[in-house]
Amino acid sequence: MNETESLILATNALKSIARSEQAKQFIKNDEELYPLLFRAAQRFIAGEHREDAISDALTLLSKGYSVSLECIGENIRDEQQCIEEKDEFIELIRLAGNNGLDATVSLDLSHIGMMIDEDLAYNHLVDLSREAALHGMTLMIGAEESAKTDQIHALYKRISESYPNVGITLQAYLNRTERDLEQIKQYPGRIRLVKGAYQEPSEIALPRSEQLRAKYVQLAERLMATDLPVSFATHDEDLIEAIRHCGYLDRPNVELEMLYGVRPDLLKKMKCEGYRAKAYITYGKEWHLYFFHRLAEYPPNMFRAIADIVTPSIKVETY
Ligand code: FDA
């Protein structure tokens, strides 16, 4: 097996582990494995509790970054659990607000009811949008698998009629996104542009490639023709250089956003050069899902994880 083949094998295995309920239960129930993996996961997550996220957020804000906050979770099919997850987001918004945090709160709609019933998700979205508005915060809706995109966009359009403080994430890798953008840009919310994180068939999405970078820049250009607030969310240095070169990062309505723990050096450099830099901080008991995704999208992180188990990173200090 050559290097590329082994990387593909590792990536697919890590993605399967991330989604496996059996793997999750195994990790949770193993008293020795759980703390070891949790040590490594802390490179990418603030901790298991909202207070951990707020604490790291306050440190980053004091260093001149802005922050997004998310309690990790998706695809919840139990109504009571969806209510509890919605309540957790409400508490997160309140805690951030009471700490004077000017933060964005991000979530996936499948985390708060979309897998059960569209109206349940909508009602939860109303509660959260209202609470966020009370504290002057933005609520960002995440992008999920393409099978959910129509439903997510419909909910976004519905909520936007009453709450302009809600924004949405668009995935550059989907062929449909150019068309979607034409509609989404009619609404007032922030648009976050990402490459896309899910395994999608080649008929509907581009793989990581030069072509995808070019598509991202094209979409960025279209976004720049609007006055909407925009987040370019990527760690791709060449892509960032391309949009910086076009002058897009100089616009007052634009920010550069990266996942907490991923390329802190690059986000710090951009902040020091005067660009608006935002870190996306996650927390929660479902950290294993998020952690294995971070390993899967960049398998060299596996070596880091091994090192972190021995000597845990103190990531907030790397910013
Ligand atoms: P790409 O994957 O090509 O990576 C470019 C380079 O970045 C790599 O070569 C490596 O140097 C570095 N890098 C990337 N990932 C790394 C990692 N885990 N560890 C270390 N280095 C890494 N997706 C989605 O489908 N729906 C969503 O709602 C969101 N939301 C979201 C919010 C924010 C703030 C960010 C930054 C990203 C998302 N994503 C997302 C994820 C996004 O779609 C994408 O999968 C990741 O950002 C990785 O893609 P890049 O653009 O970084 O490029």
Side-chain angles (χ1 to χ4, degrees):
M1 192 189 305
N2 64 32
E3 205 178 320
T4 314
E5 284 167 343
S6 47
L7 273 181
I8 292 170
L9 206 65
T11 302
N12 290 339
L14 289 163
K15 282 188 177 166
S16 305
I17 295 172
R19 300 220 166 267
S20 160
E21 190 55 32
Q22 206 184 357
K24 174 175 136 184
Q25 290 311 331
F26 183 79
I27 293 166
K28 273 194 171 162
N29 294 333
D30 192 310
E31 282 175 21
E32 282 167 22
L33 185 61
Y34 189 91
L36 285 185
L37 286 180
F38 186 54
R39 271 177 134 180
Q42 280 176 293
R43 175 173 289 279
F44 303 108
I45 60 152
E48 291 193 320
H49 308 287
R50 71 183 89 97
E51 290 78 7
D52 301 321
I54 297 292
S55 163
D56 283 4
L58 285 168
T59 308
L60 291 190
L61 283 165
S62 73
K63 294 182 178 203
Y65 298 90
S66 55
V67 292
S68 285
L69 300 168
E70 186 193 2
C71 174
I72 302 160
E74 59 179 24
N75 294 334
I76 309 283
R77 290 184 166 80
D78 176 85
E79 185 165 349
Q80 184 51 37
Q81 203 187 339
C82 286
I83 295 170
E84 287 165 17
E85 298 296 323
K86 182 264 296 177
D87 289 343
E88 172 59 33
F89 277 106
I90 295 271
E91 291 305 323
L92 173 66
I93 294 167
R94 285 188 184 147
L95 187 62
N98 294 341
N99 275 280
L101 264 177
D102 178 15
T104 297
V105 168
S106 289
L107 52 77
D108 284 342
L109 292 178
S110 71
H111 193 179
I112 57 160
M114 198 181 74
M115 302 307 287
I116 301 168
D117 175 48
E118 203 163 298
D119 281 336
L120 177 71
Y122 179 71
N123 292 336
H124 285 170
L125 199 49
V126 169
D127 292 348
L128 293 168
S129 309
R130 188 190 301 123
E131 194 65 32
L134 274 176
H135 294 279
M137 290 185 201
T138 300
L139 197 68
M140 286 299 292
I141 297 173
E144 305 186 48
E145 296 92 332
S146 58
K148 298 180 192 154
T149 307
D150 281 339
Q151 215 180 356
I152 293 171
H153 288 189
L155 280 161
Y156 172 65
K157 290 170 188 170
R158 203 170 152 197
I159 194 75
S160 289
E161 280 162 18
S162 321
Y163 291 97
N165 62 321
V166 181
I168 192 158
T169 309
L170 296 180
Q171 296 156 317
Y173 68 4
L174 289 185
N175 298 343
R176 60 176 284 170
T177 298
E178 261 175 283
R179 247 179 307 120
D180 289 337
L181 178 57
E182 288 310 303
Q183 291 184 21
I184 296 285
K185 75 180 190 190
Q186 313 297 329
Y187 296 83
R190 175 175 289 277
I191 298 181
R192 174 193 285 141
L193 187 61
V194 299
K195 280 191 187 176
Y198 297 86
Q199 275 170 309
E200 299 287 359
S202 58
E203 303 82 63
I204 63 161
L206 289 171
R208 292 292 188 269
S209 55
E210 233 4 275
Q211 207 188 343
L212 175 55
R213 274 203 191 110
K215 169 108 180 286
Y216 191 108
V217 175
Q218 245 174 42
L219 290 165
E221 191 182 344
R222 288 186 182 207
L223 280 168
M224 291 302 97
T226 73
D227 290 328
L228 295 172
V230 171
S231 306
F232 291 121
T234 178
H235 320 94
D236 182 334
E237 229 168 322
D238 292 341
L239 178 56
I240 292 169
E241 183 47 35
I243 54 178
R244 192 194 64 78
H245 183 74
C246 296
Y248 300 160
L249 294 180
D250 298 318
R251 306 271 182 102
N253 55 332
V254 171
E255 64 186 16
L256 178 65
E257 191 175 16
M258 295 188 200
L259 302 179
Y260 192 35
V262 176
R263 297 300 311 267
D265 55 322
L266 183 56
L267 194 65
K268 185 174 180 176
K269 175 176 158 276
M270 298 304 288
K271 187 204 66 165
C272 293
E273 288 177 17
Y275 299 108
R276 273 166 294 279
K278 186 178 239 182
Y280 188 106
I281 300 176
T282 58
Y283 73 97
K285 301 262 186 214
E286 295 293 316
W287 55 262
H288 103 279
L289 171 82
Y290 186 81
F291 172 54
F292 282 102
H293 271 136
R294 299 293 77 76
L295 299 188
E297 72 192 358
Y298 193 65
N301 279 339
M302 277 194 293
F303 298 112
R304 276 219 168 118
I306 293 166
D308 287 341
I309 287 172
V310 181
T311 318
S313 70
I314 308 173
K315 67 187 157 318
V316 81
E317 288 177 6
T318 58
Y319 280 87

